Amino acid sequence: MSVVETGADLHEAHRDNHTHRDVTGGWLRPAVFGAMDGLVSNLALMTGVAGGAVSQQTIVITGLAGLAAGAFSMAAGEYTSVASQRELVEAELAVERQELRKHPKDEMDELAALYVTRGVEPELAGEVARQLSQDPEQALEIHAREELGVDPGDLPSPLLAAVSSFGAFALGALLPVLPYLLGATELWPAVLLALLGLFGCGAIVSRVTARTWWFSGLRQLVLGGTAAALTYGLGTLFGVAVGG
């Protein structure tokens, strides 16, 4: 084997080892966690009501009401949170844009000093900062990333966040209600389907963590099952207390 071939093989192995997963989670993390939130909260709500020995109709209405209330609440909260964050970032970007316009030399020196702190030689850092500062929009983008930790061209959308949260929560919250809508008359099919959904969501979450799929699935199943069991017990106690 030649030296060139060996180098190529090492380069290929290096590239394979440097294929990283999306550590921010992208769309997967909020979607899966939204679905799990809907699953756990609505399952716990329905089992708590069922523990009070109420009618099947009451359980179904409770589940549908929990789905609607939770999904709208999630959407409103996510929209407000992301919109507020975006408005804050845009306000800071406006300040930075104004500073670049009024004090370009100071901003260029600031960027050069930042590169110096990261190990770049002062003369080279000054030249890099000068070249990057020639384009105002590019300069704004670089300052935003370095000082604010954001990308001006990739700000989150409040509407997309709200719609995603609504859909994910509603999908998760639907699972415990679905068996009743399909004709089930007892609680156990709803609990079984919800627990299977929790295990599935936990397994999917393993894609953005270092855990195995079965560990993440079992962990979520145990947590969700415990929440359902506790609320069922509380519902039973409340039912006895109120009935007595």
Side-chain angles (χ1 to χ4, degrees):
M1 181 179 294
S2 68
V3 175
V4 175
E5 290 175 338
T6 303
D9 291 340
L10 289 174
H11 180 64
E12 188 68 30
H14 178 74
R15 286 189 303 180
D16 291 342
N17 290 332
H18 275 69
T19 302
H20 297 293
R21 293 174 294 179
D22 180 8
V23 296
T24 64
W27 62 268
L28 178 64
R29 185 179 61 85
V32 173
F33 279 97
M36 284 198 296
D37 189 13
L39 255 170
V40 174
S41 61
N42 217 30
L43 175 62
L45 178 63
M46 291 175 62
T47 53
V49 172
V54 298
S55 66
Q56 174 187 342
Q57 182 182 18
T58 301
I59 298 175
V60 175
I61 293 174
T62 299
L64 292 176
L67 185 158
F72 281 115
S73 176
M74 284 285 291
E78 196 69 17
Y79 183 91
T80 302
S81 174
V82 174
S84 300
Q85 179 186 10
R86 183 178 179 121
E87 289 164 1
L88 175 60
V89 171
E90 289 174 342
E92 291 301 314
L93 288 175
V95 172
E96 190 64 34
R97 185 179 285 109
Q98 184 178 19
E99 288 299 310
L100 284 168
R101 187 175 62 254
K102 294 173 60 178
H103 308 288
K105 180 64 167 57
D106 292 339
E107 290 294 315
M108 185 177 66
D109 291 343
E110 182 180 296
L111 189 60
L114 176 63
Y115 290 144
V116 169
T117 62
R118 294 186 176 180
V120 181
E121 295 180 356
E123 184 177 348
L124 178 58
E127 179 60 20
V128 170
R130 185 190 67 79
Q131 293 187 27
L132 292 177
S133 299
Q134 290 178 354
D135 182 354
E137 288 304 314
Q138 178 178 257
L140 176 64
E141 180 178 336
I142 294 171
H143 279 274
R145 287 179 174 176
E146 297 291 351
E147 297 176 26
L148 303 176
V150 298
D151 183 351
D154 191 28
L155 297 181
S157 166
L159 182 59
L160 179 60
V163 172
S164 300
S165 296
F166 182 94
F169 187 96
L171 181 62
L174 178 63
L175 283 185
V177 189
L178 193 58
Y180 282 104
L181 298 179
L182 296 178
T185 58
E186 298 181 5
L187 181 63
W188 71 263
V191 174
L192 178 61
L193 182 59
L195 292 179
L196 289 175
L198 285 170
F199 182 86
C201 286
I204 294 174
V205 169
S206 66
R207 292 187 56 184
V208 292
T209 67
R211 297 292 187 180
T212 59
W213 63 270
W214 57 266
F215 178 88
S216 296
L218 285 175
R219 178 173 59 184
Q220 195 57 43
L221 187 150
V222 170
L223 292 174
T226 301
L230 289 174
T231 51
Y232 182 85
L234 289 174
T236 302
L237 292 175
F238 294 156
V240 171
V242 173

